[in-house]
Amino acid sequence: MRIASAETITTSPGRNFVTLRITTDDGLTGLGDATLNGRELAVASYLSDHVIPLLTGRDAARIEDTWQYLYRGAYWRRGPVTMAAIAAVDTALWDIKAKAAGMPLYQLLGGASRTGALAYGHASGRDIPELLDSIREHLAAGYRAIRVQTGVPGLGPVYGVASSGGAGGAGGPGGGERYDYEPARRAALPVEETWDTRAYLRHLPGVFEAVRAEFGPELPLLHDGHHRMTPIQAAKLGTSLEPYDLFWLEDATPGEDQAALRLIRQHTTTPLAIGEVFNSVHDYTTLLTERLIDYVRSAVTHTGGVTAMKKLLDFAAVYGVKSGMHGPTDVSPVGMAAALHLDLAIHNFGIQEYMRHSAETLEVFRTSYTFADGLLHPSDTPGLGVELDDAAAARFPYAPAYLPVNRLTDGTVHDW
Ligand code: GCO
Ligand code: MG
């Protein structure tokens, strides 16, 4: 079974996605997600100009060899563009192998270790009453674990908080405008937001106090710090949130600084998650071997595909660290399906982020995965279980879009 052709499909059903499709000489097709939010065309070019010419004629069954050929063979290793491109090839080849075997991908990864993957949804509110409504709405939609984000008094719009909300309305899990569509705004320039870490640190413990008072002690609650704190600020936040028993505190400090996690760890027992901006197992060596984190946040899409993600998660398992794969709406349904097959198969599964794609996105990507009683299942369709509708994709042409830029109140550009 040889690779006959490969092509990238760039489409924008609500937001931009880049997908690689590989076709074999016996007519099987496989899909891989190559979406890098706000930098989509760089990956599309890396694939079309530099990778696709290498694929034609290769044995489609040799996934590990192809991975190493693209990674070691290129000389220039790692980085989000390279690793998203390799991820797309790798995922498409796993899709083909599983289709050829007539099995869902998770069977090739060792079979199911559980009945489904616990998912967490994104509740948010500009203030506490709006947040509590959003949590109620997520619980009604079936979620059993909730990420909690709020506006900060004195600041304008904050990334991760729906621009409008209320039960049953926009910003909810079932429809309407969602915060995640807003920041990927299609415009010539990024939106700029204003940030004040001290105001945030003063506000957040009271938010979690209100949520626990309303929903009790059992509901798993998560929070994303979006890389905005210094290590000592993060240590302080982790300590102040201990009474509210978080499932995790995510991305407390900028991802490049692995030693920062050591400092945070020395001060707090709040569990720590990091890694959505990482792209290689090598980003995790200090964090795992020194047991500085509790959850690995990488996505299959950004970390070199199913092959690399499985190795990373096996490495994490040695240190008792669990998965918490990135699952925002800028990971396409193809990337989400790849994550779900791993979630079902690996032993050290922790939780899966799941935001739900828009109806437009799901017109282009025909999915078969399911969400019921708080659990996701990839389905038993052979392969990944996702197909791309070319006619639908063509109706949504690419449009430039940017994530926001974050500035402190004095105008200094800040992490986010
Ligand atoms: C999350 C994230 C996302 C990212 C986005 C960037 O935890 O889901 O922080 O919202 O910001 O995926 O492209
Ligand atoms: Mg995050």
Side-chain angles (χ1 to χ4, degrees):
M1 189 171 54
R2 306 234 153 234
I3 296 175
S5 63
E7 64 191 314
T8 60
I9 301 112
T10 302
T11 178
S12 194
R15 63 183 316 144
N16 292 318
F17 296 105
V18 178
T19 310
L20 176 73
R21 177 162 48 212
I22 295 179
T23 305
T24 65
D25 53 8
D26 49 7
L28 283 179
T29 58
L31 297 178
D33 181 20
T35 308
L36 192 59
N37 199 3
R39 296 292 185 273
E40 296 87 2
L41 298 186
V43 189
S45 156
Y46 191 100
L47 283 166
S48 306
D49 297 329
H50 305 293
V51 172
I52 288 176
L54 304 174
L55 296 179
T56 316
R58 288 185 71 81
D59 183 347
R62 294 180 61 183
I63 300 177
E64 177 72 26
D65 182 70
T66 300
W67 196 97
Q68 301 295 347
Y69 182 81
L70 295 175
Y71 181 81
R72 289 173 204 281
Y75 189 61
W76 311 108
R77 295 181 189 180
R78 304 165 63 185
V81 174
T82 300
M83 298 310 282
I86 294 177
V89 175
D90 182 83
T91 306
L93 292 179
W94 276 109
D95 191 14
I96 288 170
K97 191 182 278 291
K99 283 180 179 171
M103 292 180 186
L105 175 59
Y106 73 82
Q107 292 292 5
L108 274 55
L109 301 173
S113 289
R114 53 194 55 78
T115 53
L118 177 68
Y120 74 88
H122 285 208
S124 71
R126 288 166 295 186
D127 53 26
I128 292 176
E130 204 173 86
L131 168 68
L132 300 182
D133 279 348
S134 173
I135 296 175
R136 280 185 208 106
E137 223 180 307
H138 279 78
L139 294 176
Y143 283 99
R144 288 197 217 150
I146 306 284
R147 189 183 92 156
V148 170
Q149 306 293 130
T150 57
V152 176
L155 295 184
V158 171
Y159 184 75
V161 178
S163 57
S164 55
E177 186 193 4
R178 297 266 308 265
Y179 94 84
D180 51 305
Y181 304 143
E182 178 212 328
R185 195 169 284 156
R186 297 183 219 197
L189 292 173
V191 166
E192 299 204 355
E193 294 178 350
T194 306
W195 182 248
D196 178 345
T197 311
R198 291 188 66 231
Y200 160 77
L201 293 176
R202 282 194 303 274
H203 182 59
L204 203 62
V207 170
F208 276 90
E209 187 181 11
V211 173
R212 280 291 178 219
E214 183 73 15
F215 297 99
E218 279 176 37
L219 181 65
L221 298 177
L222 303 85
H223 179 71
D224 190 347
H226 240 272
H227 312 109
R228 291 175 174 132
M229 286 166 270
T230 63
I232 202 68
Q233 287 171 334
K236 183 177 176 183
L237 181 67
T239 308
S240 64
L241 294 179
E242 278 171 22
Y244 312 111
D245 190 25
L246 264 61
F247 186 96
W248 78 35
L249 171 61
E250 171 188 345
D251 287 347
T253 47
E256 306 91 313
D257 184 2
Q258 297 205 5
L261 277 293
R262 198 180 289 129
L263 190 144
I264 304 169
R265 198 63 148 180
Q266 283 161 359
H267 290 278
T268 180
T269 56
T270 293
L272 302 173
I274 199 163
E276 68 179 46
V277 299
F278 294 177
N279 51 71
S280 159
V281 66
H282 298 289
D283 295 323
Y284 283 98
T285 46
T286 304
L287 301 181
L288 293 176
T289 57
E290 294 190 26
R291 300 173 192 272
L292 302 181
I293 58 169
D294 301 280
Y295 296 94
V296 161
R297 284 285 290 140
S298 289
V300 172
T301 304
H302 302 131
T303 314
V306 174
T307 298
M309 198 68 208
K310 176 76 166 68
K311 290 179 189 184
L312 166 57
L313 293 170
D314 288 345
F315 178 38
V318 173
Y319 298 95
V321 174
K322 294 189 174 186
S323 72
M325 270 186 263
H326 196 205
T329 49
D330 49 280
V331 164
S332 87
V334 174
M336 174 59 67
L340 296 183
H341 286 278
L342 276 165
D343 288 339
L344 207 66
I346 58 169
H347 178 251
N348 56 329
F349 170 75
I351 201 164
Q352 174 63 53
E353 182 179 20
Y354 178 52
M355 293 178 67
R356 289 169 185 265
H357 288 99
S358 69
E360 286 173 324
T361 300
L362 296 173
E363 271 177 53
V364 172
F365 297 94
R366 303 291 162 100
T367 58
S368 44
Y369 51 77
T370 56
F371 178 60
D373 298 328
L375 303 182
L376 286 157
H377 191 286
S379 92
D380 283 324
T381 307
L384 286 172
V386 181
E387 295 301 334
L388 188 145
D389 181 329
D390 290 273
R395 285 196 280 115
F396 301 104
Y398 168 81
Y402 286 98
L403 282 156
V405 167
N406 205 23
R407 290 186 187 272
L408 299 179
T409 48
D410 71 356
T412 308
V413 173
H414 191 58
D415 304 291
W416 71 280

